[in-house]
Amino acid sequence: MKLAKLSLAAIMAAGAFSVASATPLTDAIKGVNLNGYGYYRFHDASSAEAYSKVEIRAGLTGAVSDNVQYYVRATMDRATKTNAVLGKGSFLVDRAVMTYSGFSNTKVMLGRMYTGSPLDDTDAVGLKVLVSPVAGLTLAGAYFTDNSAVTNAATAVAAIYSNDMFNARAWYIKIDSENSGANNGADFIFVEGGANVGPAAVKAQYAQKNPDGTAATASTIRIQASGKFGAFGVRAGYVTNDQDAGDVTLDGSAEGDNDLIYGGIYGLVQINQADESAYFGEVKGSFGPFAAKAGYVSYDNGSYDDQYYGQVSYNVSKKLSTYVRYGSASPVVAGADDKTLARFQATYKF
């Protein structure tokens, strides 16, 4: 929304800034947009104490000049366990990016930003260059330090193409060792191809992690087909990891907010073990302000046999939405308890 729609307290705070900088408030807020969300979450999972969490995230977007734009985002959160307080909460400016667009079909981004890699969901300080030489094609190059997933430096290059029917991506990422005596660097490759035909879509992914030193190379192949038919949608897929290692991600999680094809509920069971494979299917539907989905995952050579999950969502308004989610996974070991996850969340977007 426009910054001009802020509350009186926020406008007073902005006014204090304008006095310090000798810039009139009406000039300072021209062309500035404020967007974000706040949510309350109750989360309960087996083998972990239930917690409640409140998070507020807000971002400011504006222009310094015709060719220079900025984006600043702050996140505030506080979580409490059922029987104990987890600290005093946190406040973090987790995005601060300047973008220069003075070159034809090019964007140069500098600062702390989302890395944009399909193999992690982290942020880092660095430089990113995006070039679009022809319609549908984007070439990217980036260098990051202080990555929140891997404290080492990361170099990445990518080619991304899409049109109404086809889409493809190819990434190469190199993580440098922190020092010459450590073998904690790695090379990553990610390739994806997809096609859309009417209401149906298919895509396939191959990802590989080749660590420095003697650690085994990890690779995975992931395939998914999906379709949307009126108010209903379906998807099904298959994931298989190689026999030596399974985790191909930068941040150690194959189920974060990255782009790897995944079946099941995030946070319940990871598909990242060596020689592990899984089949999954899901159906969903939307009915006015309500939506629901349910799915099943069958694992092979992993720690779990199968997983069932479901979710019901309700959009109270255009800005306020809620959902209830539940999932259960059955372990391979006979007599062991199922792994469960339940969550309620209410989100307000502004």
Side-chain angles (χ1 to χ4, degrees):
M1 69 177 184
K2 289 290 186 183
L3 188 60
K5 296 181 181 180
L6 286 174
S7 65
L8 178 61
I11 291 175
M12 290 175 66
F17 172 80
S18 69
V19 170
S21 62
T23 301
L25 176 60
T26 53
D27 293 336
I29 65 176
K30 285 181 179 179
V32 177
N33 288 304
L34 172 70
N35 295 94
Y37 64 80
Y39 72 71
Y40 167 78
R41 173 188 297 171
F42 177 77
H43 181 97
D44 190 12
S46 55
S47 71
E49 190 173 355
Y51 70 84
S52 295
K53 182 179 180 181
V54 175
E55 179 173 296
I56 300 173
R57 175 171 287 175
L60 287 175
T61 305
V64 178
S65 66
D66 291 342
N67 296 322
V68 180
Q69 298 80 40
Y70 67 85
Y71 175 64
V72 179
R73 191 183 79 181
T75 301
M76 297 156 282
D77 61 51
R78 179 175 179 131
T80 59
K81 286 187 177 180
T82 303
N83 299 315
V85 175
L86 292 180
K88 297 181 179 180
S90 65
F91 175 85
L92 177 66
V93 178
D94 52 5
R95 298 289 188 275
V97 189
M98 299 292 287
T99 301
Y100 178 74
S101 55
F103 302 119
S104 178
N105 301 318
T106 301
K107 288 186 177 181
V108 180
M109 306 170 69
L110 178 66
R112 175 168 288 278
M113 69 192 85
Y114 175 54
T115 60
S117 157
L119 299 180
D120 74 331
D121 57 355
T122 58
D123 61 284
V125 174
L127 173 70
K128 184 191 296 184
V129 180
L130 305 174
V131 182
S132 300
V134 296
L137 176 64
T138 299
L139 305 177
Y143 178 78
F144 294 109
T145 62
D146 188 31
N147 191 310
S148 58
V150 287
T151 56
N152 325 41
T155 305
V157 292
I160 304 165
Y161 177 78
S162 65
N163 60 29
D164 292 340
M165 183 171 291
F166 299 104
N167 56 83
R169 295 185 291 170
W171 280 76
Y172 169 76
I173 307 163
K174 180 175 179 56
I175 303 297
D176 297 326
S177 298
E178 289 184 303
N179 56 70
S180 59
N183 291 317
N184 54 0
D187 295 311
F188 296 81
I189 295 173
F190 173 87
V191 179
E192 177 186 271
N196 304 304
V197 181
V202 295
K203 66 178 178 179
Q205 298 175 340
Y206 173 80
Q208 176 181 296
K209 175 182 180 180
N210 184 14
D212 294 345
T214 59
T217 296
S219 65
T220 185
I221 296 173
R222 304 180 178 222
I223 303 170
Q224 176 178 284
S226 60
K228 184 170 178 57
F229 310 94
F232 295 92
V234 295
R235 71 182 185 102
Y238 173 69
V239 175
T240 181
N241 300 332
D242 69 13
Q243 297 183 0
D244 296 319
D247 185 10
V248 298
T249 61
L250 273 69
D251 58 352
S253 170
E255 55 183 11
D257 296 331
N258 51 51
D259 299 331
L260 284 175
I261 294 170
Y262 183 76
I265 289 182
Y266 293 145
L268 186 59
V269 176
Q270 294 186 3
I271 311 176
N272 64 352
Q273 299 183 39
D275 200 27
E276 182 180 16
S277 59
Y279 294 92
F280 64 88
E282 180 182 278
V283 60
K284 60 183 179 180
S286 57
F287 317 94
F290 293 94
K293 66 179 179 180
Y296 170 74
V297 187
S298 175
Y299 303 98
D300 188 21
N301 294 333
S303 301
Y304 293 87
D305 280 331
D306 50 31
Q307 174 187 162
Y308 298 89
Y309 65 94
Q311 176 174 306
V312 177
S313 306
Y314 173 57
N315 292 323
V316 181
S317 65
K318 291 182 178 180
K319 294 186 176 183
L320 179 62
S321 62
T322 64
Y323 70 78
V324 177
R325 178 185 299 168
Y326 180 81
S328 176
S330 301
V332 172
V333 178
D337 293 334
D338 289 354
K339 185 176 183 180
T340 60
L341 182 154
R343 176 184 293 179
F344 165 79
Q345 182 164 312
T347 304
Y348 180 80
K349 296 181 179 179
F350 55 88

